[in-house]
Amino acid sequence: MSPSQIKISQSLRNLLNWVGSGLAIAGILFIGYRLHSYWLELDLSKITPLGWGLIFFLAIVYGAANFLLAYAWWQLLQHFCRYGNIANSVKIYGMSQLAKYVPGNIFHLAGRQALGMSAGIPTKSLAQSMIWELILIAVTGSFFFWLILPRLLHHFPLTLGIILMLTSFILAVCLLHRYLGHHIAVAITYQMFFLLISASIFIVLIGLISGYDKLTPSYWVIIGGTYTIAWLAGLVTPGSPAGVGVREMILLIILKGIIAEDSLLVVVLLGRIITVIGDVLFFLVTTCIPSKIYAIER
């Protein structure tokens, strides 16, 4: 189907583009409010200039990791409508992501739907891709539950938890590849790498604030698993903008006794600042990508 055959008028396409862009702007405004709130609560006494350099580097890493989520979504688009333009997909994903900070936790999806339709992507395929994106990342995040079982069940060995996590993920990839196709299996793999990077960033922050020599390697694994489960809880909580509040509560409950509460709160706030800055950097980079109407292969 050629661009001239896309059944969306130019005026409607322009309107959808304005809606998607408007939601992105709303996200920027709420990000400013969030950053201001985090900054007022943050105790800066423990952070050296070198530490601030590391924090900014981690923000860049997180921003780059967002491309993994964008690539995963593109794979889903390929599965549902053979949409081949990866640059367009990344641009749409990046421009809409900031709206997740708007209270309601759905406006980034609405923005992506509007921008996607404006770019000529079929409405049904957009909806299917976003539903499957949420399902897949929820499933992927749930695999990390095996890593926190030693914290919940004191006699459960961490080694077994790691083995079960890896086995569950590999089995899921194989089943998805066999029954749903290559693109779905690749999408969940990209999502797993994103979650591993996010957990690693949190672990580095814990070390920066609490000291890398105060915890054993097994605790680092548990901390990474706990962060991902907390992230997942924030993701699926209705109405929580970017999971604010939900993740912090779960982290404080599960990691109590491992990390001092005051240090953990500092890490949580720094983590929020890193993710916000990373999302903004991702947004700025993706807005520079040229956009165009792309023909859907049949």
Side-chain angles (χ1 to χ4, degrees):
M1 184 168 62
S2 66
S4 61
Q5 294 174 300
I6 296 174
K7 297 179 180 179
I8 299 179
S9 67
Q10 186 61 45
S11 58
L12 177 56
R13 186 173 293 126
N14 290 337
L15 175 61
L16 291 170
N17 189 60
W18 277 107
V19 169
S21 300
L23 288 171
I25 292 172
I28 293 174
L29 295 176
F30 275 95
I31 277 178
Y33 169 74
R34 289 293 176 192
L35 276 176
H36 179 68
S37 300
Y38 300 149
W39 195 263
L40 290 177
E41 297 177 45
L42 190 60
D43 178 11
L44 306 178
S45 60
K46 295 183 178 181
I47 307 173
T48 64
L50 182 61
W52 281 115
L54 176 61
I55 288 167
F56 183 70
F57 172 74
L58 293 175
I60 295 175
V61 171
Y62 182 81
N66 273 282
F67 281 95
L68 293 171
L69 294 180
Y71 294 154
W73 181 59
W74 174 62
Q75 291 290 335
L76 295 174
L77 285 178
Q78 286 200 34
H79 175 80
F80 288 111
C81 65
R82 296 184 181 179
Y83 188 73
N85 193 326
I86 186 171
N88 243 22
S89 302
V90 171
K91 181 181 180 70
I92 292 167
Y93 195 95
M95 288 189 64
S96 61
Q97 275 300 86
L98 291 188
K100 68 184 178 181
Y101 291 95
V102 178
N105 212 17
I106 61 168
F107 291 103
H108 59 301
L109 301 177
R112 201 189 314 171
Q113 184 79 19
L115 291 171
M117 290 174 63
S118 174
I121 305 174
T123 304
K124 182 179 178 181
S125 299
L126 281 167
Q128 288 175 318
S129 68
M130 287 186 283
I131 291 171
W132 273 93
E133 178 189 31
L134 293 174
I135 292 173
L136 290 178
I137 203 160
V139 170
T140 307
S142 68
F143 296 146
F144 286 79
F145 183 76
W146 294 115
L147 300 183
I148 68 171
L149 272 183
R151 188 67 181 157
L152 304 177
L153 305 174
H154 296 296
H155 299 292
F156 190 90
L158 179 60
T159 303
L160 178 59
I162 295 173
I163 292 172
L164 289 172
M165 174 195 167
L166 295 175
T167 303
S168 300
F169 173 67
I170 293 171
L171 180 62
V173 171
C174 292
L175 291 174
L176 289 171
H177 187 276
R178 179 177 178 85
Y179 293 105
L180 294 178
H182 168 75
H183 294 301
I184 303 291
V186 173
I188 198 173
T189 303
Y190 279 137
Q191 290 177 337
M192 172 58 82
F193 279 117
F194 170 80
L195 293 180
L196 288 172
I197 291 173
S198 298
S200 298
I201 289 173
F202 187 76
I203 290 171
V204 171
L205 284 177
I206 291 285
L208 176 65
I209 300 301
S210 298
Y212 295 100
D213 58 336
K214 294 183 179 179
L215 297 173
T216 62
S218 61
Y219 276 135
W220 295 120
V221 176
I222 293 173
I223 288 169
T226 302
Y227 172 82
T228 307
I229 293 301
W231 176 90
L232 177 60
L235 176 72
V236 300
T237 301
S240 175
V244 172
V246 178
R247 300 175 190 175
E248 287 81 349
M249 179 182 66
I250 293 176
L251 287 168
L252 288 171
I253 291 173
I254 298 180
L255 297 182
K256 184 178 181 180
I258 296 180
I259 307 295
E261 186 170 311
D262 59 338
S263 295
L264 185 57
L265 288 173
V266 171
V267 170
V268 166
L269 290 171
L270 285 175
R272 283 291 178 183
I273 290 174
I274 284 172
T275 56
V276 168
I277 294 176
D279 284 333
V280 171
L281 291 174
F282 180 58
F283 169 81
L284 293 175
V285 171
T286 53
T287 53
C288 296
I289 300 174
S291 59
K292 63 179 181 178
I293 305 300
Y294 189 83
I296 306 298
E297 298 176 11
R298 295 296 184 187

